[in-house]
Amino acid sequence: LVHSKPFRRLKGKTQVFIDPQGDHYRTRMTHTLETTAISRVVARALRLNEDLVEAIGLGHDTGHTPFGHAGEQALDAALSAEFGRRFRHNEQSSRIARRLNLTHEVCDGILTHTGDQEPETLEGKIVRLIDRVAYINHDIDDAIRYGILRESDLPRDEIELLGATGTDRIDRLVHDVVDASEQAGTIEQSPEIGEAMLSLRAFMFEHVYLGPQVGPEHERARNVVQAIFVQLVDDPELLPPGDGDTPERITDYISGMTDRFALSYVRGS
């Protein structure tokens, strides 16, 4: 995984903000490394397979589009309208894992890190949960840096319970997962902490992920993905060599783009 091109391109795919001006915003790469590192800590504490957790964590977002979830939604809408197909980044990540000849357990954990299907392994369940722990906390940090949020905007009850800083919150959440999972024999959170994290996640969706300030960013992402998609449908000769039919090759090409490559592709067309 770490030697593959899809993994290396994660450094050029941002989380929430499109190609932001600044060196400290999270990218898919830094999110992946944070998720993987925290997941390994949980796996070690629970005496589970750390290597399996690491492989799932490193591969879980390799199929993600440029521009975060706005790019994913745009590609999904374009594929659905033109070819009657859907796009989900976890499915694309799993396709990449299978091409790399990774084990069934790794591919399953990558496929099920999001969505309705539950992972087959406890290690997969760890990554599924810790993925949310990681992105909620680092996206708060990025939203404050970007100016969308202030510390005082964060919901008081949840912050008092989980911690005032990202480090404190991750520490509290990780200890809770380990303690609750040891008692339950599966991977879970205590009800109180789990509800607080879900509440904080809902707050982030309302004020950051779907908030009015990121509306122009999402519109920009949709326009860029749609423009590239239309160009490739009209002229498939522009596609690089690859396996599969035209829709699959378009999916592979667009989902593999970094933010800057996608933006430059549109400007250069």
Side-chain angles (χ1 to χ4, degrees), residues 28 58 67 71 80 88 93 96-97 103 110 112 115 126 131 144 146 149 179 187 212 224 231 235 238 250 255 260 265:
R28 286 283 155 190
L58 291 174
F67 315 132
S80 178
R88 298 289 184 270
S93 296
I96 291 169
T103 67
I110 289 172
T112 58
I126 289 174
D131 179 39
I144 290 172
Y146 201 78
L149 291 179
D179 293 341
I187 307 303
V224 169
Q231 188 172 3
D235 189 2
L238 295 172
I250 290 175
S255 66
R260 290 184 182 181
Y265 191 98

Side-chain angles (χ1 to χ4, degrees), residues 151-248:
E151 293 279 358
S152 58
D153 295 328
L154 298 172
R156 181 176 302 175
D157 291 344
E158 288 79 359
I159 294 303
E160 287 181 355
L161 178 62
L162 298 178
T165 68
T167 300
D168 290 341
R169 288 190 292 273
I170 290 173
D171 186 67
R172 182 68 189 275
L173 288 161
V174 166
H175 278 91
D176 179 74
V177 170
V178 172
D179 293 341
S181 298
E182 280 187 326
Q183 294 180 23
T186 188
I187 307 303
E188 61 179 40
Q189 297 171 292
S190 66
E192 183 183 27
I193 297 297
E195 289 172 11
M197 193 181 86
L198 287 176
S199 179
L200 190 56
R201 182 173 181 265
F203 171 86
M204 290 296 291
F205 268 93
E206 179 180 356
H207 295 276
V208 177
Y209 305 136
L210 303 178
Q213 297 93 334
V214 298
E217 294 280 289
H218 288 182
E219 184 65 22
R220 184 184 179 199
R222 286 191 290 268
N223 290 340
V224 169
V225 171
Q226 179 66 25
I228 297 171
F229 184 88
V230 168
Q231 188 172 3
L232 295 175
V233 169
D234 290 344
D235 189 2
E237 293 297 320
L238 295 172
L239 288 166
D243 298 328
D245 56 18
T246 297
E248 289 174 338

Side-chain angles (χ1 to χ4, degrees), residues 19-41:
D19 194 24
Q21 298 302 308
D23 294 331
H24 302 113
Y25 291 96
R26 264 61 171 210
T27 65
R28 286 283 155 190
M29 176 71 81
T30 54
H31 163 70
T32 291
L33 296 177
E34 289 179 32
T35 298
T36 302
I38 299 169
S39 296
R40 283 204 71 138
V41 169

Side-chain angles (χ1 to χ4, degrees), residues 104-125:
H104 169 78
E105 290 79 9
V106 174
C107 294
D108 172 78
I110 289 172
L111 176 65
T112 58
H113 82 269
T114 188
D116 296 332
Q117 187 178 346
E118 287 288 329
E120 295 178 4
T121 65
L122 293 176
E123 289 81 2
K125 293 178 187 290

Side-chain angles (χ1 to χ4, degrees), residues 65-122:
T65 58
F67 315 132
H69 290 287
E72 179 175 21
Q73 292 164 2
L75 182 54
D76 177 57
L79 282 167
S80 178
E82 184 69 27
F83 299 112
R85 300 189 184 186
R86 307 303 303 269
F87 178 84
R88 298 289 184 270
H89 78 270
N90 56 310
E91 296 174 359
Q92 183 69 11
S93 296
S94 182
R95 286 181 62 199
I96 291 169
R98 292 195 300 273
R99 289 173 184 167
L100 294 174
N101 198 30
L102 301 180
T103 67
H104 169 78
E105 290 79 9
V106 174
C107 294
D108 172 78
I110 289 172
L111 176 65
T112 58
H113 82 269
T114 188
D116 296 332
Q117 187 178 346
E118 287 288 329
E120 295 178 4
T121 65
L122 293 176

